[in-house]
């Protein structure tokens, strides 16, 4: 039987209503799972580890490091890892782990639920059972298992705060579909040779969403700020106003101040093309770089990762931004 390490980090999944107000609070996860899901023993030998127990809104970079550390310490002993995580920041943790865990050759699957495990009609049961089963298969990537799908973690976005199909992967097909049978995609990564952790994130990044009427005045403070890079959620294929309230002079000032400007799209589907429209061309000429078809959250995490990895060498960061590290961008 395969051995799976189940790592708990918190979120709705393991919460129970506490008297008198019935507010949801963290519970003893091992007890809860063994009581509600004794059948997991039929799928694999499962051990439990509590990394921390928090609402995922509180996740910080040191939490990603801790998870990677736990995986690395237990790597030889287990065939796969399942991480129970709050859904709210799950995509960020998945992206971060996909970058930290260089040379990964075993499944690392994140899951969670919309309704707590202890509640009737909860999605926690099927999500956990599917995740454990998928973590016994040859899927050597960081993935997110939710509803009937397994997605590549760094390609995933959260699309619903209530639906049992809470996630989607707009620019990359699912790694697995879970129905009567489990069907695996041919696009699963082939896995590395030796696990090495790279976890020098640099959090000096900023991100904002462009909208018609945005005044560049509000962005001026970034020029002298410690931010080394800014991710703009632009319109369409990478457009912003270049007429009234033009951001081009600000982009010029930012790049002259040695800061990276990354252009993502507000549209989840499709990719950035800075060669098609005049706006895009002007961004490019001012020094902005494309995030291609990466998700916004992955762009943010990747920028922090590369700034740390290349010790602030901006030319190297720019050069490597569109090189896939873990299948996060289409070449
Ligand atoms: N607020 C919760 C969290 O992300 C929501 C969830 O678990 O789905 O931790």
């Amino acid at each position: 039987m395969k051995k799976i390490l189940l790592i708990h980090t918190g979120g709705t999944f393991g919460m129970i209503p506490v008297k008198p107000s019935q507010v949801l609070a963290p519970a003893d996860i091992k007890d809860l799972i063994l009581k509600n899901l004794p059948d997991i023993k039929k799928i694999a030998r499962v051990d439990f580890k509590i990394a921390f127990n928090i609402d995922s809104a509180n996740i910080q970079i040191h939490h990603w490091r801790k998870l990677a550390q736990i995986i690395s310490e237990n790597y030889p002993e287990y065939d796969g890892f399942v991480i129970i995580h709050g859904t709210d920041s799950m995509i960020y943790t998945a992206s971060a782990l996909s970058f930290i865990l260089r040379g990964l050759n075993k499944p690392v699957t994140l899951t969670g639920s919309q309704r707590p495990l202890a509640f009737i009609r909860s999605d926690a049961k099927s999500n956990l059972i599917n995740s454990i089963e998928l973590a016994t298969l040859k899927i050597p990537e960081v993935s997110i298992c939710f509803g009937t799908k397994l997605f590549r973690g760094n390609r995933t976005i959260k699309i619903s705060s209530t639906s049992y199909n809470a996630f989607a992967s707009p620019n990359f097909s699912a790694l697995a579909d879970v129905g009567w049978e489990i069907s695996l995609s041919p696009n699963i990564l082939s896995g590395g040779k030796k696990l090495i952790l790279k976890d020098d994130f640099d959090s000096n990044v900023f991100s904002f969403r462009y909208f018609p009427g945005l005044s560049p005045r509000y962005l001026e403070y970034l020029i002298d700020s410690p931010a080394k890079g800014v991710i703009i959620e632009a319109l369409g294929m990478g457009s912003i106003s270049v007429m009234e309230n033009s951001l081009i002079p600000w982009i010029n000032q930012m790049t002259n101040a040695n800061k990276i400007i990354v252009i993502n799209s507000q549209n989840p589907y499709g990719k950035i093309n800075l060669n098609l429209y005049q706006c895009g061309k002007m961004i490019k000429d001012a020094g902005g770089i494309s995030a291609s078809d990466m998700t916004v959250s992955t762009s943010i995490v990747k920028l922090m990762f590369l700034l740390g990895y290349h010790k602030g060498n901006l030319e190297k960061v720019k050069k490597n931004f569109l090189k896939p590290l873990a299948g996060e961008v289409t070449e």
Side-chain angles (χ1 to χ4, degrees):
M1 227 183 196
K2 293 268 170 93
K3 266 188 96 179
I4 302 294
L5 184 62
L6 186 56
I7 306 168
H8 189 58
T9 71
T12 303
F13 186 105
M15 292 186 183
I16 52 167
V18 181
K19 286 181 180 139
S21 63
Q22 299 294 319
V23 73
L24 289 177
D28 178 345
I29 192 71
K30 186 173 173 187
D31 226 46
L32 203 66
I33 290 178
L34 291 177
K35 207 158 83 198
N36 285 276
L37 284 169
D39 280 358
I40 58 169
K41 291 191 210 123
K42 293 182 190 157
I43 311 171
R45 276 180 57 200
V46 180
D47 289 334
F48 293 81
K49 173 104 194 159
I50 316 281
F52 35 87
N53 200 349
I54 56 176
D55 188 303
S56 77
N58 299 305
I59 294 279
Q60 302 292 322
I61 292 170
H62 63 87
H63 293 106
W64 299 339
R65 287 198 186 105
K66 174 149 193 193
L67 284 174
Q69 204 62 50
I70 291 173
I71 291 168
S72 157
E73 279 162 14
N74 291 281
Y75 200 68
E77 215 192 311
Y78 291 91
D79 299 294
F81 300 84
V82 173
I83 301 174
I84 299 173
H85 196 288
T87 58
D88 289 343
S89 67
M90 191 185 286
I91 55 174
Y92 292 90
T93 299
S95 283
L97 289 178
S98 78
F99 299 142
I100 299 175
L101 302 168
R102 307 281 77 223
L104 181 70
N105 198 23
K106 295 182 179 183
V108 173
T109 304
L110 287 93
T111 194
S113 72
Q114 297 284 34
R115 255 170 109 83
L117 175 61
F119 281 28
I120 199 95
R121 213 171 48 71
S122 167
D123 53 334
K125 290 186 186 178
S126 55
N127 284 349
L128 186 64
I129 286 180
N130 292 341
S131 301
I132 293 175
E133 176 133 16
L134 286 159
T136 65
L137 306 179
K138 200 176 166 354
I139 309 174
E141 323 198 359
V142 178
S143 57
I144 289 182
C145 175
F146 218 87
T148 57
K149 301 277 186 199
L150 183 78
F151 297 118
R152 177 169 295 164
N154 56 32
R155 289 287 199 158
T156 309
I157 58 170
K158 186 175 177 189
I159 53 166
S160 172
S161 318
T162 48
S163 165
Y164 283 3
N165 291 310
F167 293 93
S169 170
N171 289 327
F172 191 76
S173 57
L175 297 178
D177 279 294
V178 184
W180 170 254
E181 285 177 344
I182 291 176
S183 67
L184 296 185
S185 150
N187 301 324
I188 293 171
L189 294 174
S190 44
K193 285 204 171 71
K194 191 178 180 323
L195 184 74
I196 299 168
L197 304 195
K198 291 281 177 207
D199 62 2
D200 290 330
F201 289 86
D202 184 336
S203 64
N204 285 308
V205 306
F206 186 75
S207 176
F208 68 90
R209 170 176 277 233
Y210 172 80
F211 57 90
L214 170 67
S215 167
R217 258 189 332 175
Y218 293 118
L219 306 173
E220 271 167 22
Y221 80 96
L222 287 165
I223 299 165
D224 295 319
S225 79
K228 293 180 186 149
V230 176
I231 292 105
I232 305 178
E233 282 184 62
L235 306 169
M237 292 198 199
S239 295
I240 49 167
S241 175
V242 294
M243 296 170 70
E244 227 175 299
N245 278 324
S246 170
L247 294 196
I248 299 297
W250 173 79
I251 296 180
N252 264 316
Q253 283 173 291
M254 288 291 281
T255 48
N256 287 340
N258 256 328
K259 299 178 193 293
I260 298 180
I261 301 291
V262 176
I263 307 295
N264 262 93
S265 178
Q266 294 176 17
N267 307 342
Y269 288 83
K271 63 193 250 188
I272 296 296
N273 183 348
L274 298 180
N275 299 314
L276 192 63
Y277 297 102
Q278 197 186 21
C279 312
K281 179 78 174 48
M282 287 172 79
I283 294 174
K284 202 172 157 184
D285 291 345
I289 62 168
S290 155
S292 189
D293 66 349
M294 261 187 283
T295 66
V296 177
S297 46
T298 293
S299 254
I300 294 171
V301 175
K302 189 170 182 181
L303 188 54
M304 294 198 286
F305 176 80
L306 289 179
L307 282 168
Y309 188 89
H310 294 298
K311 311 261 177 281
N313 182 327
L314 300 190
E315 282 320 306
K316 282 194 179 158
V317 175
K318 279 195 210 165
K319 210 169 123 224
N320 289 300
F321 197 69
L322 286 184
K323 289 205 183 127
L325 288 168
E328 73 282 7
V329 62
T330 309
E331 272 184 287

